[in-house]
Amino acid sequence: MCGCKMTMTGKYLLFLSFLQSLLLSFGLYEDQIGKFDWHQQYVGKIKDVFWDQSFHAGKRLLVSSEKHVLASVHSHNGSLAWRKVLEEGTRGQIDKTLHSGNVLITINGGGRFVRKWNPGNGVADWDISLPGSKNDRADIVQCSKDLVAVMVQEAVLGLETRSGKQKWSIALPQSNQVVFTHLALSGTNLFVIGQSYGQQITIVTVDVDGVIKSTQSVTAPWLTSNTKCVVSSGGFLVCYRHEDQNLLTLNLADGQTFKSTSLQILGLEADDGVTIETQKKADEPYIFLRMRKDHIALLEIASHGVKLKKDLPNICAAQIASLDAQSMLFTLERLTGELKMRAYDLNTGGEMAELYQTITYLPQHGFPHTMEVLLFKKRDLRLGCRFAILSEDFSMQLVLKTGKIAWRREEALAYVLSVEMIDLPVSENQAKYEDEFGSHRDDIATMYMKRFKTQFSQLKTYIQQQLQKLQGHRHHHHDIEAMAESGSEDEDEELTRDEFNLNKLIILVTGAGKIYGVRSTNGHIEWEHFFPDLTPFNRYGQQKLLLYVQRTTAHFPNPPQCTIVGKHKATGNGLLFSFNPISGEAVDTPSTGQMLNFRIVQAGMLGELDDHFLRGILLLDPNDQVHVFPEKCSSVLKRTYRSQFLFVADRDTGFINGYRTLPLQKTFSMEKVWTVNLHKKQQTITQVVGKRPLEQVHSQGRVLGDRSVLYKYLNPNLVVVVTEGEIQEQSQKGPSSFINLYLLDSVTGHMVFHCSHRRAKGPVNLVHSENWVLYSYFSQKSRRHEMAVLELYEGKDQSNSSAFSSFSSPRQPLVLRQSYIMPLYISTMATTITEKGITSKQLIFALRLGGLLALPKALLDPRRPLLPTQETMEEGTIPYIPELPVNAEAIINYNQSLFNVQGVYTSPAGLESTSLVLAYGLDLYFTRIQPSKMFDVLKEDFDYFFISVVLLGMFVVTIVTQKLSARRALSRAWK
Amino acid sequence: MSAPMSAAMSISLLVMIGLCSVWVDVTEQMTDDEFEGGSRALVLEHSFDSGLNPTFSKKGTVILKSLKGNRAFFSQSAPLTIDEQTKLKELARNNDIYRLRLQTGSGSSSGEYVTTYTPACGILSSNLSDHIWIHFDQSGEVMGISVETTSSLCTPVDSFSLRDWNTSMEVSQTVLGPMPDTQSYIEKLKREEQERSKGQTEDKRSFLAKYWMYIVPIVLVMMLSGAGDQQGQGGGGGGGGGGQ
């Protein structure tokens, strides 16, 4: 008995050590850092940009972005000097950024926090919290060197710049539904402007010592929440009234009424989207009026109204900059392939020819909308300028030397919505080889000639390669230096597949309407496209842009093809763009995208390929008509319409409807065949997650300890629907929330399994793969994050080993389930995928702390037994421990912290052991992982010499002993 | 000693809380499971039409006795008419579908239905025997319905038996999702600790008490050999002893 117990504990320890070795196996050696992983940091769409005027004057730019980021960018190469990622949600949003001289102050979260930053290193000097505004309006101005005034909805505060200490505070009058929107300084007076929509404007005048001087109101019955108002320098309030295209101005110091000026009188033609832009650098009361993307007017405000200072047609960005009391106007005009920058002296109105320059500008950046100029005197006292350009596609570019873009930052990459990794095409030789076997109609002679040609060219390239190798070794160092300087090594290197198909082309589709093809080797952009009209489908705050791979690289000579399905910005109709993912060239659709004449309700792919191995896309319009894209694939639908199903989950009604395809004369219609009601009044559908199409599952079952097989329930039509809701419970105070999970067969509408978690809250992260579903939620009962796993099995008998049909499969599979405690807060998760699905799976969790944690699926197995028995040990399950282990070695991105990870994409490589991982969000991080270690490749330090010596030795010994034994046999025979 | 005590206390408290919650859940389910008058009837409708707007007719009534016990029965309203039989055969010939629907929502006023379908061939080839699932949520509302036949293949069948339905019913209700099983794990740890502490109390006996069986023979041997030495040394010792 005792001995038995001893072996039990021994085996238990063995399991623990096995667990440890599992976890330890992901470790990375120091010299492997950066070898196959890369990390790119972004800031998001830039709201404000300033030239750093402190210690690093002219050497750095300070930026604040929509993604709650404050950063400093080196002006010589565009890299980040420092970056501060502020809180997620409204708490972290940057309302206003104040920068002048050495002072950098931000207001965050609708006036909740005021923070002063050190522009040199990004350290917060001080941070104070205020009650905050109800309507998230806050403003800040600098009154003097050591006083800033901050306006929140209820009060205006004077803060010491050095310490953030509150010098004075005054309460603002709260009446007439007044919304305080602006704070302006003119002379020694602070003006607080409050708007009461449909009634009046309230102006509170405060002096810099915090004493209210006067409160007056001006009637403005035309004021609505959509009216755009700004305060210009010189103390004028300027509003634009869209209805009759009038500009209304008010002198804050002594004005009694608004002066109105019609745009027609100024000689301007207004579009729908007229905006007013202020300028801060000149003292004169100038404002910019933007009529269109490429039409700006510079206006001057006087006490009697507005007058046109300069009309700037075809100008897309303009700024006023001044140096030594000389104010200058800088303008940017976009022509095809270049930008024209002109500068004008504002006093004389003449153009300054010495500053004129043309800059090469790629059309895929759209129109520039903002420029930030730094003026300086060169050594020979001539004027020089540097400027940053912000464009429509969220990019930031910098002109340092005349006529040349020094660098660009593609901030759209912080808005990635869809990812695919595409195999690179095979090399030319390989292609010829394929070509040889591709055609069937050749006779023997031509085939022989082809073979001869192929082998000859193979020999030629082999010799060339060997020659290059010899030369390359000599010039290696020189090359690297040259590469570092030009940064254009990509252009030379051809896009061909490597031996193990590890390098791919990553297609990134971003919410900015920009698409990138990025090399997986180094993260460099291979091609890019910008669609100003493309916008994601946006429902309940979830943005989606669909990316379909219609044809992979495997079907040579047919080129690969991908299609993006999105929404047209203005009309809401569908917008499609098809392209060759390797070259980025448009296929089947115009290069600006193809606009459809209907809204897209649902999209899916056809089940079968056409004659040219192209997989068509099905698009469902609101009238239940189904369209096939491209048109030529509709023959496939005609053939297979009986097995083509779609389903639509309607969040507004809580109904999920299934459709089958019906042919109508020439078109196809969708017929509703099943309906599931998830009762909207109780809960809301938050997620619908299907399986990855074409996922490879290697083993059909699981071998148990008693040598029997538990067959997996592998239903490709299975989708998981997650709902969240609240119920009023009698026993508790207040409502308690719950989450429900429904596993639906999307062809028949059969509910395979449904379960509920009470007192649990989202956000639910879900992974659905093979025969299991893994999801995380927050348990309000235990106040912790939990991770539940469901595994579906058919049982000990398999219904059909070759094909799966939703009509004849077992309807109620065995659902094994278990839940674990997740000790850390995760933002998203994914599972690894490999070529053939042989390698065991790993789960990748993006932690809020910045890590990517990889855990083996074996840890999240519902079959982990509480008390290990002989049988479970035989099976190899790990004993149950409620908490999931978090090990520092299991963090695959070592010390490269990732912020706001939105998703993790995994892709198989040519090697079965390897899975490629891309985490996207504010940062991009690419790496590869081997969930079961590298079982199919020899290690780097494999001793080839030793093994060949041993082999050779064995060979020699064999021959010698053979000789000896032959001689012996001979001599024995003689006896 | 107080530390293990409090730990044990908290564990028992945890167990109590766990038990309470289980109890609450059970009672709630019990209340969900009860129907007024002991059972609940649902009207099942079917359609033999093809096309976008099929018309439905009553197939029968489903009588629910209990959700939890999975007790539901189907009673047919009328045998299949000749007209319906020919329609069904027509559907099967066209490889079309046979539909079913069930009204959801508590009141009969709401026109919300859940629907399902199956290939008509399957119905025909299995001689009108089908198996119907009705899916309920935790409050007893109908969420979905699905139907299965023994085979979905189109095999020719004799029409003599196409009159009465042979329908079996099954009911599924949303179950509670898994929760981390900390309770039994803690119990397991506690048990292991107890075993260990039992081992430790044994160890706490004095050194002599534990290893007397080893010590005594050694001491004996030493004494014996020591005595031998003494004897070997001659009478010096003995003489001394004698002197005393």
Side-chain angles (χ1 to χ4, degrees):
Chain A
M1 184 67 206
C2 191
C4 174
K5 200 181 279 168
M6 278 294 281
T7 53
M8 280 284 275
T9 6
K11 286 211 171 163
Y12 189 67
L13 282 175
L14 206 102
F15 267 115
L16 280 182
S17 63
F18 164 67
L19 193 76
Q20 282 298 314
S21 69
L22 260 178
L23 292 174
L24 283 170
S25 62
F26 320 130
L28 193 74
Y29 291 107
E30 200 179 349
D31 62 336
Q32 286 179 313
I33 286 175
K35 239 181 170 181
F36 41 72
D37 64 315
W38 47 262
H39 182 205
Q40 293 176 351
Q41 294 184 310
Y42 293 97
V43 298
K45 185 186 180 183
I46 293 166
K47 270 165 53 176
D48 291 304
V49 53
F50 310 98
W51 281 95
D52 193 345
Q53 290 153 12
S54 58
F55 177 69
H56 303 283
K59 295 211 174 83
R60 284 182 186 181
L61 288 139
L62 297 166
V63 295
S64 69
S65 83
E66 202 189 64
K67 285 235 163 184
H68 312 178
V69 177
L70 192 70
S72 174
V73 181
H74 287 295
S75 68
H76 63 277
N77 61 2
S79 63
L80 294 176
W82 53 263
R83 180 178 75 162
K84 292 283 153 194
V85 184
L86 305 178
E87 301 97 320
E88 276 182 56
T90 47
R91 274 170 66 89
Q93 89 195 21
I94 299 176
D95 303 318
K96 281 274 149 53
T97 316
L98 172 80
H99 177 249
S100 83
N102 214 353
V103 176
L104 178 66
I105 299 175
T106 60
I107 310 184
N108 302 91
R112 282 191 197 89
F113 305 102
V114 183
R115 290 170 180 151
K116 180 174 180 285
W117 308 88
N118 182 334
N121 53 17
V123 173
D125 288 343
W126 50 260
D127 172 320
I128 57 164
S129 67
L130 299 174
S133 285
K134 272 175 287 184
N135 49 15
D136 284 1
R137 296 282 199 128
D139 207 347
I140 183 167
V141 291
Q142 187 168 27
C143 304
S144 63
K145 202 162 174 280
D146 39 38
L147 183 74
V148 287
V150 176
M151 180 208 76
V152 289
Q153 175 60 18
E154 288 77 23
V156 178
L157 302 112
L159 302 175
E160 252 178 52
T161 315
R162 281 176 62 85
S163 61
K165 209 183 279 169
Q166 187 176 316
K167 270 192 166 170
W168 48 261
S169 151
I170 47 169
L172 292 172
Q174 305 290 327
S175 63
N176 295 338
Q177 297 95 44
V178 67
V179 179
F180 288 97
T181 51
H182 294 85
L183 179 69
L185 180 78
S186 179
T188 56
N189 286 333
L190 280 166
F191 298 101
V192 189
I193 292 148
Q195 302 180 0
S196 310
Y197 300 126
Q199 297 172 34
Q200 59 182 10
I201 277 191
T202 312
I203 302 163
V204 182
T205 314
V206 185
D207 72 0
V208 289
D209 298 323
V211 180
I212 297 185
K213 280 180 147 178
S214 69
T215 303
Q216 58 163 334
S217 43
V218 180
T219 54
W222 39 267
L223 201 65
T224 66
S225 55
N226 295 324
T227 315
K228 290 155 193 153
C229 292
V230 296
V231 180
S232 78
S233 39
F236 288 96
L237 179 70
V238 187
C239 295
Y240 176 70
R241 193 161 68 202
H242 176 68
E243 287 74 32
D244 56 355
Q245 302 186 346
N246 268 359
L247 276 170
L248 299 132
T249 55
L250 177 72
N251 190 341
L252 292 175
D254 54 1
Q256 298 297 317
T257 52
F258 277 95
K259 305 266 182 353
S260 103
T261 317
S262 168
L263 286 192
Q264 267 96 36
I265 291 172
L266 294 173
L268 298 169
E269 269 180 53
D271 258 356
D272 281 347
V274 174
T275 53
I276 319 172
E277 290 163 19
T278 51
Q279 57 81 26
K280 295 265 156 81
K281 293 196 176 168
D283 298 332
E284 293 89 350
Y286 292 130
I287 57 160
F288 289 112
L289 196 67
R290 180 181 283 277
M291 322 298 296
R292 280 197 311 271
K293 275 178 184 175
D294 57 345
H295 185 186
I296 293 176
L298 177 67
L299 305 176
E300 186 176 359
I301 301 153
S303 47
H304 58 272
V306 180
K307 107 183 159 205
L308 183 69
K309 177 85 181 168
K310 195 171 177 65
D311 189 15
L312 302 165
N314 306 325
I315 296 297
C316 39
Q319 202 200 15
I320 293 172
S322 48
L323 186 75
D324 305 338
Q326 186 187 12
S327 292
M328 275 168 277
L329 170 71
F330 290 84
T331 63
L332 276 181
E333 181 183 355
R334 192 179 91 145
L335 302 167
T336 44
E338 60 180 21
L339 288 177
K340 278 206 163 84
M341 200 278 280
R342 286 194 173 87
Y344 303 92
D345 190 323
L346 271 180
N347 299 329
T348 62
E351 191 184 330
M352 305 178 76
E354 78 254 39
L355 288 175
Y356 168 80
Q357 52 179 289
T358 57
I359 306 129
T360 35
Y361 181 80
L362 299 171
Q364 58 260 36
H365 291 299
F367 284 102
H369 59 77
T370 305
M371 64 188 295
E372 179 69 22
V373 182
L374 178 76
L375 264 178
F376 56 89
K377 281 238 161 72
K378 289 184 189 163
R379 278 190 197 136
D380 54 0
L381 292 177
R382 283 195 303 152
L383 274 175
C385 72
R386 293 171 171 185
F387 55 95
I389 303 166
L390 304 183
S391 304
E392 237 184 327
D393 68 333
F394 300 0
S395 72
M396 174 171 163
Q397 303 178 70
L398 197 81
V399 178
L400 281 180
K401 288 175 198 154
T402 309
K404 209 179 150 199
I405 300 263
W407 49 261
R408 58 185 173 133
R409 290 186 63 84
E410 293 285 352
E411 295 301 340
L413 286 171
Y415 296 83
V416 173
L417 294 177
S418 296
V419 184
E420 285 289 345
M421 290 192 200
I422 306 290
D423 293 350
L424 295 176
V426 290
S427 65
E428 206 180 327
N429 273 321
Q430 202 74 31
K432 272 184 194 158
Y433 199 64
E434 301 252 336
D435 191 36
E436 195 179 330
F437 293 103
S439 57
H440 305 290
R441 288 182 212 104
D442 293 339
D443 56 13
I444 287 180
T446 46
M447 276 177 84
Y448 178 76
M449 278 312 291
K450 262 189 184 172
R451 162 63 60 89
F452 184 75
K453 269 188 207 158
T454 317
Q455 290 190 339
F456 181 73
S457 70
Q458 270 175 343
L459 186 73
K460 211 169 83 182
T461 42
Y462 176 73
I463 293 167
Q464 275 173 350
Q465 273 174 357
Q466 294 305 316
L467 283 175
Q468 266 175 2
K469 237 183 212 172
L470 284 173
Q471 287 167 344
H473 274 297
R474 231 173 290 149
H475 297 290
H476 199 59
H477 261 281
H478 178 73
D479 278 352
I480 284 177
E481 275 164 28
M483 272 180 207
E485 255 180 35
S486 63
S488 63
E489 78 270 37
D490 282 353
E491 280 75 17
D492 314 333
E493 199 185 311
E494 229 180 306
L495 276 171
T496 49
R497 197 176 298 185
D498 59 316
E499 208 178 345
F500 295 133
N501 197 6
L502 288 167
N503 300 332
K504 309 250 179 176
L505 199 77
I506 308 172
I507 313 295
L508 298 168
V509 183
T510 67
K514 202 160 185 188
I515 307 159
Y516 297 89
V518 171
R519 277 170 187 263
S520 76
T521 36
N522 48 16
H524 290 189
I525 293 166
E526 185 67 23
W527 53 260
E528 62 203 282
H529 282 292
F530 177 53
F531 302 96
D533 292 330
L534 181 71
T535 175
F537 300 106
N538 195 342
R539 295 277 283 144
Y540 289 80
Q542 283 185 355
Q543 290 197 322
K544 260 188 191 142
L545 260 178
L546 307 170
L547 172 62
Y548 290 108
V549 181
Q550 290 194 281
R551 182 162 54 211
T552 60
T553 323
H555 305 287
F556 184 84
N558 296 303
Q561 187 172 339
C562 289
T563 297
I564 288 158
V565 180
K567 206 168 77 173
H568 191 266
K569 209 174 260 173
T571 61
N573 286 343
L575 187 69
L576 301 183
F577 176 63
S578 284
F579 58 99
N580 177 341
I582 303 299
S583 63
E585 286 157 8
V587 193
D588 286 344
T589 51
S591 60
T592 51
Q594 183 179 337
M595 209 181 100
L596 304 173
N597 50 9
F598 56 89
R599 267 192 326 113
I600 296 172
V601 174
Q602 180 68 291
M605 288 196 99
L606 278 170
E608 283 183 33
L609 305 173
D610 79 347
D611 302 339
H612 297 281
F613 308 102
L614 193 72
R615 199 179 286 275
I617 297 173
L618 283 178
L619 302 166
L620 183 69
D621 72 8
N623 302 323
D624 288 352
Q625 291 286 310
V626 69
H627 306 259
V628 186
F629 176 85
E631 199 67 17
K632 59 192 174 199
C633 286
S634 45
S635 61
V636 180
L637 184 62
K638 211 165 275 172
R639 204 173 64 231
T640 64
Y641 73 90
R642 281 189 192 281
S643 56
Q644 202 62 57
F645 300 90
L646 276 182
F647 74 99
V648 178
D650 190 344
R651 286 190 185 186
D652 301 327
T653 61
F655 275 90
I656 304 177
N657 293 317
Y659 297 84
R660 67 165 180 157
T661 326
L662 271 190
L664 294 173
Q665 287 105 42
K666 282 201 161 177
T667 59
F668 287 93
S669 168
M670 281 305 202
E671 183 193 7
K672 197 191 283 179
V673 285
W674 59 263
T675 310
V676 163
N677 184 359
L678 294 182
H679 299 284
K680 168 72 187 163
K681 58 178 186 286
Q682 294 172 10
Q683 53 190 8
T684 319
I685 299 171
T686 55
Q687 280 191 75
V688 180
V689 185
K691 275 185 207 178
R692 233 169 129 132
L694 312 178
E695 187 187 31
Q696 293 268 0
V697 182
H698 180 69
S699 94
Q700 299 249 315
R702 192 163 163 169
V703 183
L704 305 185
D706 58 359
R707 298 286 184 271
S708 63
V709 178
L710 195 57
Y711 285 100
K712 291 177 181 171
Y713 177 76
L714 296 166
N715 183 350
N717 306 320
L718 194 71
V719 290
V720 185
V721 180
V722 184
T723 62
E724 289 174 35
E726 282 188 342
I727 40 166
Q728 200 72 41
E729 272 183 32
Q730 289 157 351
S731 52
Q732 269 111 26
K733 281 176 275 172
S736 84
S737 39
F738 64 88
I739 59 166
N740 283 349
L741 236 83
Y742 303 93
L743 273 61
L744 282 177
D745 185 309
S746 61
V747 170
T748 60
H750 176 69
M751 251 179 216
V752 175
F753 178 72
H754 39 132
C755 71
S756 166
H757 287 265
R758 289 183 180 190
R759 299 192 63 194
K761 236 175 95 174
V764 177
N765 286 300
L766 199 139
V767 175
H768 184 192
S769 170
E770 293 195 354
N771 64 328
W772 50 268
V773 177
L774 176 75
Y775 55 98
S776 75
Y777 55 90
F778 181 77
S779 163
Q780 288 181 315
K781 201 174 190 170
S782 323
R783 300 195 181 168
R784 66 189 174 203
H785 290 275
E786 291 176 0
M787 194 73 73
V789 58
L790 309 175
E791 276 192 14
L792 288 85
Y793 290 97
E794 287 192 1
K796 301 257 167 125
D797 302 305
Q798 198 172 19
S799 62
N800 190 342
S801 62
S802 55
F804 187 93
S805 165
S806 283
F807 294 116
S808 61
S809 66
R811 291 297 174 104
Q812 288 203 304
L814 216 64
V815 183
L816 304 178
R817 42 195 191 265
Q818 185 58 275
S819 187
Y820 296 90
I821 299 167
M822 186 74 199
L824 295 168
Y825 190 12
I826 65 162
S827 52
T828 182
M829 59 189 189
T831 180
T832 57
I833 182 163
T834 51
E835 183 82 10
K836 298 273 177 246
I838 299 168
T839 311
S840 57
K841 292 243 172 196
Q842 231 174 36
L843 289 148
I844 302 164
F845 302 101
L847 307 176
R848 290 285 172 131
L849 297 172
L852 283 182
L853 178 75
L855 290 182
K857 172 71 178 61
L859 283 173
L860 287 149
D861 185 347
R863 293 180 50 80
R864 282 176 69 178
L866 188 66
L867 293 168
T869 60
Q870 194 69 38
E871 227 165 69
T872 61
M873 276 183 217
E874 194 94 359
E875 197 190 325
T877 46
I878 308 162
Y880 181 76
I881 299 169
E883 191 166 289
L884 292 171
V886 175
N887 196 312
E889 269 99 2
I891 306 274
I892 55 172
N893 58 336
Y894 46 104
N895 61 356
Q896 311 267 1
S897 290
L898 307 175
F899 292 98
N900 303 351
V901 179
Q902 296 295 316
V904 177
Y905 178 86
T906 55
S907 161
L911 280 178
E912 173 54 34
S913 65
T914 308
S915 186
L916 308 174
V917 180
L918 178 83
Y920 55 91
L922 191 59
D923 300 3
L924 288 183
Y925 181 77
F926 177 87
T927 190
R928 40 174 109 134
I929 55 173
Q930 286 96 25
S932 308
K933 295 197 199 171
M934 259 202 155
F935 59 79
D936 48 3
V937 178
L938 291 177
K939 274 187 184 150
E940 274 175 33
D941 54 354
F942 184 78
D943 204 339
Y944 293 96
F945 177 73
F946 181 70
I947 201 113
S948 13
V949 163
V950 168
L951 263 177
L952 218 78
M954 298 286 268
F955 189 64
V956 168
V957 168
T958 322
I959 290 173
V960 169
T961 48
Q962 207 175 9
K963 280 268 166 68
L964 282 176
S965 74
R967 196 183 289 172
R968 200 173 201 183
L970 189 68
S971 62
R972 198 179 289 156
W974 273 105
K975 269 177 192 170
Chain B
M1 201 56 210
S2 69
M5 265 298 281
S6 65
M9 283 277 282
S10 64
I11 286 161
S12 62
L13 264 175
L14 262 174
V15 172
M16 290 258 295
I17 291 162
L19 276 175
C20 284
S21 64
V22 167
W23 182 71
V24 165
D25 291 346
V26 167
T27 50
E28 271 170 12
Q29 272 169 8
M30 281 304 283
T31 51
D32 288 346
D33 206 28
E34 280 171 12
F35 300 118
E36 308 97 45
S39 66
R40 189 169 138 192
L42 299 166
V43 176
L44 193 62
E45 292 173 296
H46 60 172
S47 166
F48 302 99
D49 289 352
S50 61
L52 289 173
N53 291 308
T55 51
F56 284 85
S57 58
K58 191 175 173 185
K59 178 178 179 176
T61 320
V62 180
I63 292 140
L64 278 171
K65 292 274 189 211
S66 132
L67 285 181
K68 215 162 160 48
N70 193 3
R71 289 200 296 148
F73 308 100
F74 175 77
S75 70
Q76 177 182 321
S77 60
L80 227 58
T81 60
I82 303 295
D83 185 32
E84 283 170 335
Q85 286 181 19
T86 46
K87 267 186 173 175
L88 183 62
K89 280 179 202 159
E90 181 70 22
L91 284 180
R93 199 175 310 124
N94 295 336
N95 203 2
D96 217 324
I97 55 169
Y98 162 76
R99 301 154 203 260
L100 278 174
R101 76 173 184 186
L102 196 65
Q103 195 162 38
T104 66
S106 43
S108 55
S109 56
S110 67
E112 291 179 348
Y113 290 93
V114 290
T115 53
T116 189
Y117 73 103
T118 192
C121 288
I123 294 284
L124 207 61
S125 63
S126 60
N127 286 333
L128 298 190
S129 61
D130 53 355
H131 189 75
I132 296 172
W133 273 271
I134 304 178
H135 308 282
F136 291 90
D137 69 0
Q138 282 190 315
S139 57
E141 296 246 27
V142 176
M143 289 190 298
I145 177 174
S146 52
V147 60
E148 190 196 21
T149 52
T150 43
S151 86
S152 61
L153 298 171
C154 291
T155 43
V157 68
D158 302 326
S159 59
F160 64 88
S161 56
L162 282 182
R163 273 204 60 191
D164 292 307
W165 288 101
N166 176 20
T167 301
S168 52
M169 297 295 306
E170 201 165 319
V171 168
S172 81
Q173 195 182 13
T174 307
V175 295
L176 275 183
M179 279 201 295
D181 193 3
T182 42
Q183 242 175 70
S184 24
Y185 183 71
I186 288 168
E187 273 166 26
K188 180 189 157 192
L189 284 188
K190 216 166 72 182
R191 216 165 36 238
E192 275 176 10
E193 203 171 307
Q194 271 173 359
E195 272 169 25
R196 213 174 299 144
S197 65
K198 232 180 254 168
Q200 272 169 6
T201 46
E202 275 169 24
D203 282 354
K204 268 172 198 161
R205 289 175 303 172
S206 72
F207 183 76
L208 273 177
K210 218 191 293 178
Y211 298 111
W212 63 271
M213 64 274 259
Y214 305 109
I215 294 166
V216 166
I218 289 169
V219 169
L220 273 176
V221 167
M222 277 176 72
M223 276 172 70
L224 284 175
S225 64
D229 279 354
Q230 273 180 348
Q231 276 177 355
Q233 269 173 7
Q244 274 178 345

